[in-house]
Short mmCIF file of all heavy atoms in Angstrom, two decimals:
data_model
loop_
_atom_site.label_atom_id
_atom_site.label_comp_id
_atom_site.label_asym_id
_atom_site.label_seq_id
_atom_site.Cartn_x
_atom_site.Cartn_y
_atom_site.Cartn_z
N MET A 13 11.96 -17.17 0.88
CA MET A 13 11.47 -15.81 0.64
C MET A 13 11.28 -15.59 -0.86
O MET A 13 12.22 -15.42 -1.60
CB MET A 13 12.47 -14.77 1.18
CG MET A 13 12.68 -14.85 2.69
SD MET A 13 11.25 -14.34 3.64
CE MET A 13 11.35 -12.56 3.42
N SER A 14 10.06 -15.64 -1.28
CA SER A 14 9.80 -15.47 -2.71
C SER A 14 9.02 -14.19 -2.98
O SER A 14 8.47 -14.00 -4.04
CB SER A 14 9.00 -16.67 -3.23
OG SER A 14 7.77 -16.76 -2.55
N THR A 15 8.99 -13.31 -1.99
CA THR A 15 8.25 -12.07 -2.14
C THR A 15 8.89 -11.20 -3.22
O THR A 15 10.10 -11.00 -3.23
CB THR A 15 8.24 -11.29 -0.81
OG1 THR A 15 7.67 -12.11 0.18
CG2 THR A 15 7.44 -10.02 -0.94
N ALA A 16 8.08 -10.72 -4.12
CA ALA A 16 8.57 -9.84 -5.16
C ALA A 16 9.07 -8.55 -4.55
O ALA A 16 8.50 -8.05 -3.58
CB ALA A 16 7.47 -9.55 -6.16
N ALA A 17 10.14 -8.03 -5.12
CA ALA A 17 10.75 -6.82 -4.57
C ALA A 17 10.45 -5.62 -5.45
O ALA A 17 10.36 -5.72 -6.67
CB ALA A 17 12.26 -7.01 -4.46
N CYS A 18 10.30 -4.50 -4.78
CA CYS A 18 10.14 -3.24 -5.49
C CYS A 18 11.41 -2.94 -6.28
O CYS A 18 12.52 -3.16 -5.82
CB CYS A 18 9.89 -2.14 -4.46
SG CYS A 18 9.82 -0.48 -5.16
N LEU A 19 11.23 -2.42 -7.48
CA LEU A 19 12.36 -2.16 -8.36
C LEU A 19 12.80 -0.69 -8.33
O LEU A 19 13.72 -0.30 -9.02
CB LEU A 19 12.00 -2.54 -9.80
CG LEU A 19 11.54 -3.99 -9.99
CD1 LEU A 19 11.08 -4.21 -11.42
CD2 LEU A 19 12.65 -4.96 -9.63
N CYS A 20 12.14 0.11 -7.54
CA CYS A 20 12.42 1.54 -7.52
C CYS A 20 13.68 1.85 -6.70
O CYS A 20 14.02 1.10 -5.80
CB CYS A 20 11.24 2.30 -6.93
SG CYS A 20 9.71 2.06 -7.86
N PRO A 21 14.37 2.95 -7.03
CA PRO A 21 15.56 3.34 -6.26
C PRO A 21 15.24 3.48 -4.77
O PRO A 21 16.04 3.09 -3.92
CB PRO A 21 15.95 4.69 -6.86
CG PRO A 21 15.41 4.64 -8.25
CD PRO A 21 14.11 3.86 -8.14
N ILE A 22 14.10 4.06 -4.46
CA ILE A 22 13.64 4.12 -3.07
C ILE A 22 12.49 3.14 -2.95
O ILE A 22 11.41 3.36 -3.51
CB ILE A 22 13.19 5.55 -2.69
CG1 ILE A 22 14.34 6.52 -2.88
CG2 ILE A 22 12.66 5.57 -1.25
CD1 ILE A 22 13.96 7.98 -2.66
N HIS A 23 12.72 2.04 -2.24
CA HIS A 23 11.73 0.97 -2.22
C HIS A 23 10.42 1.41 -1.57
O HIS A 23 10.43 2.00 -0.50
CB HIS A 23 12.29 -0.25 -1.48
CG HIS A 23 13.39 -0.94 -2.27
ND1 HIS A 23 14.02 -2.08 -1.83
CD2 HIS A 23 13.92 -0.64 -3.47
CE1 HIS A 23 14.91 -2.46 -2.72
NE2 HIS A 23 14.89 -1.60 -3.73
N TRP A 24 9.36 1.10 -2.23
CA TRP A 24 8.01 1.34 -1.71
C TRP A 24 7.81 2.80 -1.34
O TRP A 24 7.18 3.14 -0.37
CB TRP A 24 7.72 0.45 -0.50
CG TRP A 24 8.07 -0.99 -0.69
CD1 TRP A 24 8.98 -1.71 0.01
CD2 TRP A 24 7.51 -1.91 -1.65
NE1 TRP A 24 9.01 -3.00 -0.45
CE2 TRP A 24 8.13 -3.15 -1.46
CE3 TRP A 24 6.54 -1.78 -2.67
CZ2 TRP A 24 7.82 -4.27 -2.24
CZ3 TRP A 24 6.23 -2.89 -3.44
CH2 TRP A 24 6.87 -4.11 -3.22
N ARG A 25 8.36 3.68 -2.19
CA ARG A 25 8.23 5.11 -1.88
C ARG A 25 6.77 5.55 -1.97
O ARG A 25 6.31 6.35 -1.19
CB ARG A 25 9.09 5.93 -2.85
CG ARG A 25 8.99 7.42 -2.60
CD ARG A 25 9.94 8.16 -3.49
NE ARG A 25 9.65 7.92 -4.91
CZ ARG A 25 10.32 8.48 -5.91
NH1 ARG A 25 11.31 9.29 -5.65
NH2 ARG A 25 10.00 8.22 -7.15
N GLY A 26 6.08 4.99 -2.95
CA GLY A 26 4.68 5.35 -3.10
C GLY A 26 3.85 4.11 -3.27
O GLY A 26 4.09 3.29 -4.16
N LEU A 27 2.87 3.93 -2.40
CA LEU A 27 2.00 2.76 -2.48
C LEU A 27 0.57 3.21 -2.68
O LEU A 27 0.18 4.28 -2.24
CB LEU A 27 2.09 1.95 -1.18
CG LEU A 27 3.46 1.41 -0.81
CD1 LEU A 27 3.44 0.82 0.60
CD2 LEU A 27 3.92 0.37 -1.81
N TYR A 28 -0.18 2.38 -3.35
CA TYR A 28 -1.60 2.70 -3.51
C TYR A 28 -2.41 1.42 -3.46
O TYR A 28 -1.90 0.33 -3.71
CB TYR A 28 -1.85 3.45 -4.82
CG TYR A 28 -1.71 2.59 -6.06
CD1 TYR A 28 -2.83 1.98 -6.63
CD2 TYR A 28 -0.48 2.39 -6.64
CE1 TYR A 28 -2.71 1.18 -7.77
CE2 TYR A 28 -0.34 1.61 -7.78
CZ TYR A 28 -1.46 1.00 -8.34
OH TYR A 28 -1.34 0.21 -9.45
N THR A 29 -3.67 1.55 -3.15
CA THR A 29 -4.60 0.44 -3.18
C THR A 29 -5.82 0.86 -3.98
O THR A 29 -6.07 2.05 -4.18
CB THR A 29 -4.99 0.00 -1.75
OG1 THR A 29 -5.72 -1.22 -1.82
CG2 THR A 29 -5.83 1.06 -1.06
N LEU A 30 -6.55 -0.11 -4.43
CA LEU A 30 -7.79 0.16 -5.14
C LEU A 30 -8.96 -0.36 -4.30
O LEU A 30 -9.04 -1.54 -3.99
CB LEU A 30 -7.80 -0.52 -6.52
CG LEU A 30 -6.89 0.13 -7.57
CD1 LEU A 30 -6.90 -0.71 -8.83
CD2 LEU A 30 -7.35 1.54 -7.89
N ILE A 31 -9.83 0.56 -3.93
CA ILE A 31 -11.01 0.19 -3.14
C ILE A 31 -12.24 0.60 -3.93
O ILE A 31 -12.48 1.79 -4.16
CB ILE A 31 -10.99 0.89 -1.77
CG1 ILE A 31 -9.74 0.46 -0.98
CG2 ILE A 31 -12.27 0.55 -0.99
CD1 ILE A 31 -9.58 1.18 0.35
N GLU A 32 -12.96 -0.41 -4.40
CA GLU A 32 -14.16 -0.16 -5.19
C GLU A 32 -13.87 0.75 -6.38
O GLU A 32 -14.63 1.66 -6.69
CB GLU A 32 -15.26 0.41 -4.30
CG GLU A 32 -15.69 -0.58 -3.22
CD GLU A 32 -16.79 -0.01 -2.33
OE1 GLU A 32 -17.05 1.19 -2.44
OE2 GLU A 32 -17.37 -0.78 -1.57
N GLY A 33 -12.71 0.53 -6.99
CA GLY A 33 -12.37 1.25 -8.20
C GLY A 33 -11.72 2.59 -7.98
O GLY A 33 -11.34 3.26 -8.94
N THR A 34 -11.60 3.00 -6.73
CA THR A 34 -10.98 4.28 -6.42
C THR A 34 -9.58 4.04 -5.87
O THR A 34 -9.36 3.17 -5.04
CB THR A 34 -11.80 5.06 -5.38
OG1 THR A 34 -13.11 5.28 -5.92
CG2 THR A 34 -11.16 6.40 -5.07
N ARG A 35 -8.64 4.84 -6.36
CA ARG A 35 -7.26 4.66 -5.94
C ARG A 35 -6.95 5.51 -4.70
O ARG A 35 -7.23 6.71 -4.70
CB ARG A 35 -6.35 5.06 -7.10
CG ARG A 35 -4.86 5.01 -6.79
CD ARG A 35 -4.07 5.15 -8.07
NE ARG A 35 -2.68 5.45 -7.84
CZ ARG A 35 -1.72 5.26 -8.73
NH1 ARG A 35 -2.03 4.77 -9.93
NH2 ARG A 35 -0.48 5.55 -8.47
N TYR A 36 -6.38 4.87 -3.68
CA TYR A 36 -6.03 5.57 -2.45
C TYR A 36 -4.55 5.37 -2.16
O TYR A 36 -4.03 4.26 -2.34
CB TYR A 36 -6.83 5.03 -1.26
CG TYR A 36 -8.32 5.26 -1.35
CD1 TYR A 36 -9.15 4.29 -1.90
CD2 TYR A 36 -8.88 6.44 -0.87
CE1 TYR A 36 -10.52 4.49 -1.97
CE2 TYR A 36 -10.25 6.65 -0.94
CZ TYR A 36 -11.07 5.67 -1.49
OH TYR A 36 -12.41 5.87 -1.57
N GLU A 37 -3.89 6.41 -1.69
CA GLU A 37 -2.51 6.27 -1.24
C GLU A 37 -2.48 5.55 0.10
O GLU A 37 -3.31 5.80 0.97
CB GLU A 37 -1.86 7.65 -1.10
CG GLU A 37 -1.64 8.33 -2.43
CD GLU A 37 -0.87 9.64 -2.24
OE1 GLU A 37 -0.34 9.88 -1.14
OE2 GLU A 37 -0.81 10.41 -3.21
N VAL A 38 -1.53 4.63 0.24
CA VAL A 38 -1.35 3.93 1.51
C VAL A 38 0.12 3.98 1.88
O VAL A 38 0.99 4.25 1.05
CB VAL A 38 -1.84 2.47 1.44
CG1 VAL A 38 -3.33 2.41 1.19
CG2 VAL A 38 -1.08 1.70 0.37
N ILE A 39 0.40 3.69 3.14
CA ILE A 39 1.76 3.67 3.65
C ILE A 39 1.99 2.37 4.41
O ILE A 39 1.04 1.77 4.91
CB ILE A 39 2.03 4.88 4.56
CG1 ILE A 39 1.03 4.91 5.72
CG2 ILE A 39 1.95 6.18 3.76
CD1 ILE A 39 1.26 6.06 6.69
N PRO A 40 3.25 1.92 4.48
CA PRO A 40 3.54 0.68 5.20
C PRO A 40 3.10 0.78 6.65
O PRO A 40 3.18 1.83 7.27
CB PRO A 40 5.07 0.56 5.10
CG PRO A 40 5.41 1.31 3.86
CD PRO A 40 4.45 2.47 3.83
N SER A 41 2.65 -0.33 7.19
CA SER A 41 2.20 -0.39 8.58
C SER A 41 2.91 -1.54 9.27
O SER A 41 3.17 -2.57 8.66
CB SER A 41 0.69 -0.60 8.62
OG SER A 41 0.25 -0.88 9.94
N PRO A 42 3.24 -1.41 10.57
CA PRO A 42 3.90 -2.50 11.28
C PRO A 42 2.98 -3.69 11.53
O PRO A 42 3.46 -4.80 11.74
CB PRO A 42 4.33 -1.85 12.61
CG PRO A 42 3.42 -0.68 12.78
CD PRO A 42 3.10 -0.19 11.38
N VAL A 43 1.70 -3.46 11.50
CA VAL A 43 0.75 -4.55 11.73
C VAL A 43 -0.35 -4.49 10.69
O VAL A 43 -0.59 -3.45 10.08
CB VAL A 43 0.12 -4.46 13.14
CG1 VAL A 43 1.18 -4.64 14.21
CG2 VAL A 43 -0.60 -3.15 13.31
N ASP A 44 -1.02 -5.63 10.48
CA ASP A 44 -2.11 -5.66 9.52
C ASP A 44 -3.25 -4.75 9.97
O ASP A 44 -3.54 -4.60 11.15
CB ASP A 44 -2.64 -7.09 9.37
CG ASP A 44 -2.02 -7.81 8.20
OD1 ASP A 44 -1.94 -7.20 7.12
OD2 ASP A 44 -1.62 -8.96 8.37
N THR A 45 -3.89 -4.16 8.99
CA THR A 45 -5.05 -3.33 9.25
C THR A 45 -6.22 -3.89 8.46
O THR A 45 -6.05 -4.76 7.60
CB THR A 45 -4.80 -1.88 8.80
OG1 THR A 45 -4.64 -1.86 7.39
CG2 THR A 45 -3.55 -1.32 9.46
N ALA A 46 -7.41 -3.38 8.74
CA ALA A 46 -8.58 -3.84 7.99
C ALA A 46 -8.37 -3.63 6.50
O ALA A 46 -8.74 -4.47 5.68
CB ALA A 46 -9.82 -3.08 8.46
N THR A 47 -7.73 -2.53 6.16
CA THR A 47 -7.50 -2.23 4.75
C THR A 47 -6.54 -3.23 4.12
O THR A 47 -6.80 -3.75 3.04
CB THR A 47 -6.93 -0.81 4.60
OG1 THR A 47 -7.79 0.11 5.25
CG2 THR A 47 -6.81 -0.44 3.13
N SER A 48 -5.46 -3.56 4.82
CA SER A 48 -4.48 -4.47 4.23
C SER A 48 -4.98 -5.91 4.20
O SER A 48 -4.51 -6.72 3.41
CB SER A 48 -3.14 -4.37 4.97
OG SER A 48 -3.25 -4.83 6.30
N LEU A 49 -5.92 -6.23 5.08
CA LEU A 49 -6.48 -7.58 5.06
C LEU A 49 -7.49 -7.75 3.93
O LEU A 49 -7.66 -8.83 3.39
CB LEU A 49 -7.14 -7.88 6.40
CG LEU A 49 -6.18 -8.07 7.58
CD1 LEU A 49 -6.97 -8.17 8.89
CD2 LEU A 49 -5.32 -9.30 7.38
N LEU A 50 -8.17 -6.67 3.60
CA LEU A 50 -9.25 -6.75 2.63
C LEU A 50 -8.81 -6.43 1.21
O LEU A 50 -9.41 -6.89 0.25
CB LEU A 50 -10.38 -5.79 3.02
CG LEU A 50 -11.20 -6.21 4.25
CD1 LEU A 50 -12.13 -5.09 4.66
CD2 LEU A 50 -11.99 -7.47 3.95
N PHE A 51 -7.75 -5.62 1.09
CA PHE A 51 -7.37 -5.14 -0.23
C PHE A 51 -5.89 -5.40 -0.48
O PHE A 51 -5.13 -5.69 0.43
CB PHE A 51 -7.66 -3.64 -0.35
CG PHE A 51 -9.12 -3.31 -0.13
CD1 PHE A 51 -9.55 -2.84 1.10
CD2 PHE A 51 -10.04 -3.50 -1.14
CE1 PHE A 51 -10.89 -2.55 1.32
CE2 PHE A 51 -11.39 -3.21 -0.93
CZ PHE A 51 -11.81 -2.74 0.30
N ARG A 52 -5.51 -5.28 -1.75
CA ARG A 52 -4.11 -5.44 -2.13
C ARG A 52 -3.53 -4.07 -2.46
O ARG A 52 -4.26 -3.16 -2.85
CB ARG A 52 -4.01 -6.35 -3.36
CG ARG A 52 -4.56 -7.74 -3.08
CD ARG A 52 -4.85 -8.47 -4.37
NE ARG A 52 -3.62 -8.78 -5.12
CZ ARG A 52 -3.59 -9.17 -6.39
NH1 ARG A 52 -4.72 -9.30 -7.05
NH2 ARG A 52 -2.46 -9.43 -7.00
N ALA A 53 -2.22 -3.97 -2.34
CA ALA A 53 -1.57 -2.69 -2.63
C ALA A 53 -0.43 -2.91 -3.61
O ALA A 53 0.14 -4.00 -3.70
CB ALA A 53 -1.04 -2.06 -1.34
N TRP A 54 -0.11 -1.87 -4.35
CA TRP A 54 0.96 -1.94 -5.33
C TRP A 54 1.85 -0.70 -5.23
O TRP A 54 1.41 0.36 -4.79
CB TRP A 54 0.39 -2.01 -6.75
CG TRP A 54 -0.41 -3.23 -7.02
CD1 TRP A 54 0.04 -4.42 -7.53
CD2 TRP A 54 -1.82 -3.40 -6.79
NE1 TRP A 54 -1.02 -5.31 -7.62
CE2 TRP A 54 -2.16 -4.72 -7.17
CE3 TRP A 54 -2.82 -2.56 -6.29
CZ2 TRP A 54 -3.45 -5.22 -7.09
CZ3 TRP A 54 -4.12 -3.05 -6.18
CH2 TRP A 54 -4.42 -4.36 -6.59
N CYS A 55 3.09 -0.86 -5.71
CA CYS A 55 3.99 0.27 -5.79
C CYS A 55 3.54 1.18 -6.93
O CYS A 55 3.27 0.71 -8.04
CB CYS A 55 5.42 -0.22 -6.04
SG CYS A 55 6.59 1.12 -6.28
N ALA A 56 3.49 2.47 -6.64
CA ALA A 56 3.05 3.41 -7.66
C ALA A 56 4.11 3.60 -8.75
O ALA A 56 3.82 4.07 -9.84
CB ALA A 56 2.72 4.75 -7.02
N GLY A 57 5.36 3.23 -8.43
CA GLY A 57 6.44 3.45 -9.38
C GLY A 57 6.62 2.30 -10.35
O GLY A 57 6.71 2.50 -11.56
N CYS A 58 6.68 1.07 -9.85
CA CYS A 58 7.00 -0.07 -10.70
C CYS A 58 5.86 -1.08 -10.81
O CYS A 58 5.92 -1.98 -11.62
CB CYS A 58 8.27 -0.76 -10.18
SG CYS A 58 8.07 -1.51 -8.54
N GLY A 59 4.83 -0.93 -9.97
CA GLY A 59 3.68 -1.81 -10.09
C GLY A 59 3.80 -3.12 -9.36
O GLY A 59 2.90 -3.96 -9.44
N THR A 60 4.89 -3.35 -8.66
CA THR A 60 5.04 -4.59 -7.89
C THR A 60 4.04 -4.62 -6.74
O THR A 60 3.82 -3.62 -6.08
CB THR A 60 6.47 -4.68 -7.32
OG1 THR A 60 7.40 -4.69 -8.40
CG2 THR A 60 6.65 -5.95 -6.50
N GLU A 61 3.44 -5.79 -6.54
CA GLU A 61 2.49 -5.88 -5.45
C GLU A 61 3.21 -5.81 -4.11
O GLU A 61 4.23 -6.46 -3.90
CB GLU A 61 1.71 -7.19 -5.53
CG GLU A 61 0.66 -7.29 -4.42
CD GLU A 61 -0.23 -8.51 -4.57
OE1 GLU A 61 -0.05 -9.28 -5.52
OE2 GLU A 61 -1.12 -8.67 -3.72
N TYR A 62 2.64 -5.02 -3.22
CA TYR A 62 3.17 -4.89 -1.87
C TYR A 62 2.48 -5.90 -0.98
O TYR A 62 1.27 -5.80 -0.74
CB TYR A 62 2.94 -3.46 -1.36
CG TYR A 62 3.58 -3.18 -0.02
CD1 TYR A 62 4.96 -3.06 0.10
CD2 TYR A 62 2.80 -3.02 1.12
CE1 TYR A 62 5.55 -2.80 1.32
CE2 TYR A 62 3.39 -2.76 2.35
CZ TYR A 62 4.77 -2.65 2.45
OH TYR A 62 5.35 -2.39 3.66
N THR A 63 3.23 -6.87 -0.48
CA THR A 63 2.63 -8.01 0.22
C THR A 63 2.73 -7.89 1.73
O THR A 63 2.48 -8.85 2.44
CB THR A 63 3.28 -9.32 -0.25
OG1 THR A 63 4.68 -9.24 -0.03
CG2 THR A 63 3.01 -9.56 -1.72
N HIS A 64 3.10 -6.72 2.21
CA HIS A 64 3.23 -6.52 3.65
C HIS A 64 2.06 -5.67 4.15
O HIS A 64 1.33 -5.08 3.36
CB HIS A 64 4.56 -5.84 3.95
CG HIS A 64 5.74 -6.56 3.37
ND1 HIS A 64 6.20 -7.76 3.87
CD2 HIS A 64 6.51 -6.28 2.29
CE1 HIS A 64 7.23 -8.17 3.15
NE2 HIS A 64 7.43 -7.30 2.17
N PRO A 65 1.88 -5.58 5.47
CA PRO A 65 0.78 -4.76 6.00
C PRO A 65 0.92 -3.30 5.59
O PRO A 65 2.02 -2.75 5.47
CB PRO A 65 0.95 -4.90 7.52
CG PRO A 65 1.64 -6.21 7.70
CD PRO A 65 2.59 -6.30 6.52
N PHE A 66 -0.22 -2.69 5.36
CA PHE A 66 -0.22 -1.26 5.02
C PHE A 66 -1.49 -0.64 5.58
O PHE A 66 -2.42 -1.34 5.99
CB PHE A 66 -0.13 -1.06 3.51
CG PHE A 66 -1.28 -1.71 2.75
CD1 PHE A 66 -2.46 -1.02 2.53
CD2 PHE A 66 -1.17 -3.01 2.28
CE1 PHE A 66 -3.52 -1.62 1.83
CE2 PHE A 66 -2.21 -3.61 1.60
CZ PHE A 66 -3.40 -2.91 1.38
N ARG A 67 -1.51 0.67 5.59
CA ARG A 67 -2.71 1.37 6.05
C ARG A 67 -2.89 2.61 5.20
O ARG A 67 -1.95 3.11 4.57
CB ARG A 67 -2.59 1.74 7.53
CG ARG A 67 -1.38 2.61 7.86
CD ARG A 67 -1.28 2.83 9.37
NE ARG A 67 -0.08 3.58 9.74
CZ ARG A 67 -0.05 4.92 9.79
NH1 ARG A 67 -1.10 5.62 9.47
NH2 ARG A 67 1.08 5.53 10.15
N THR A 68 -4.09 3.11 5.21
CA THR A 68 -4.36 4.29 4.42
C THR A 68 -3.69 5.50 5.06
O THR A 68 -3.48 5.55 6.27
CB THR A 68 -5.87 4.55 4.31
OG1 THR A 68 -6.43 4.55 5.62
CG2 THR A 68 -6.55 3.46 3.50
N SER A 69 -3.36 6.46 4.24
CA SER A 69 -2.74 7.67 4.75
C SER A 69 -3.67 8.37 5.73
O SER A 69 -4.87 8.46 5.52
CB SER A 69 -2.40 8.59 3.59
OG SER A 69 -1.95 9.83 4.08
N ALA A 70 -3.09 8.89 6.81
CA ALA A 70 -3.91 9.51 7.86
C ALA A 70 -4.43 10.87 7.45
O ALA A 70 -5.31 11.42 8.09
CB ALA A 70 -3.08 9.64 9.14
N ALA A 71 -3.89 11.42 6.38
CA ALA A 71 -4.23 12.79 6.01
C ALA A 71 -5.73 12.94 5.75
O ALA A 71 -6.31 13.98 6.06
CB ALA A 71 -3.44 13.20 4.77
N ARG A 72 -6.32 11.90 5.17
CA ARG A 72 -7.71 12.03 4.77
C ARG A 72 -8.67 11.81 5.94
O ARG A 72 -9.76 12.39 5.97
CB ARG A 72 -8.01 11.00 3.68
CG ARG A 72 -9.41 11.08 3.12
CD ARG A 72 -9.61 9.99 2.09
NE ARG A 72 -8.75 10.19 0.91
CZ ARG A 72 -9.12 10.87 -0.18
NH1 ARG A 72 -10.30 11.39 -0.23
NH2 ARG A 72 -8.30 11.02 -1.19
N SER A 73 -8.27 11.00 6.92
CA SER A 73 -9.22 10.57 7.93
C SER A 73 -9.02 11.22 9.29
O SER A 73 -9.84 11.07 10.17
CB SER A 73 -9.17 9.06 8.08
OG SER A 73 -7.86 8.67 8.43
N GLN A 74 -7.91 11.93 9.46
CA GLN A 74 -7.65 12.53 10.76
C GLN A 74 -7.43 14.03 10.62
O GLN A 74 -6.70 14.48 9.76
CB GLN A 74 -6.39 11.92 11.40
CG GLN A 74 -6.61 10.47 11.82
CD GLN A 74 -5.37 9.93 12.54
OE1 GLN A 74 -4.36 10.60 12.63
NE2 GLN A 74 -5.45 8.70 13.03
N ALA A 75 -8.03 14.78 11.50
CA ALA A 75 -7.83 16.23 11.52
C ALA A 75 -6.54 16.54 12.27
O ALA A 75 -6.19 15.87 13.23
CB ALA A 75 -9.01 16.92 12.18
N ALA A 76 -5.86 17.56 11.83
CA ALA A 76 -4.59 17.93 12.47
C ALA A 76 -4.85 18.50 13.88
O ALA A 76 -5.87 19.12 14.09
CB ALA A 76 -3.86 18.97 11.62
ZN1 ZN B 125 8.55 0.22 -6.97
#
């Protein structure tokens, strides 16, 4: 296990990805998504790359 670890008190509290130069908030996902397969994500606090599956926040794409 050589995966880099988040250095924040609350691990992976805030994640983001860059898609075509735009920063989007993402959250951990139990399975890979199109977003996590195509793009990389980082911790917003310490900058460590998040190497696990993630998905974009549902707030932007789903109506309540
Ligand atoms: Zn961190």
Side-chain angles (χ1 to χ4, degrees):
M13 297 291 285
S14 60
T15 302
C18 175
L19 303 175
C20 300
I22 301 175
H23 290 182
W24 313 118
R25 180 175 60 178
L27 299 171
Y28 71 94
T29 190
L30 287 175
I31 299 175
E32 296 180 349
T34 301
R35 176 168 165 160
Y36 295 93
E37 291 185 11
V38 296
I39 57 178
S41 170
V43 296
D44 265 314
T45 65
T47 306
S48 65
L49 289 172
L50 288 171
F51 301 99
R52 299 163 67 194
W54 297 269
C55 176
C58 65
T60 300
E61 183 174 0
Y62 186 71
T63 57
H64 306 288
F66 59 88
R67 58 185 176 89
T68 52
S69 173
R72 183 182 295 269
S73 58
Q74 291 184 356

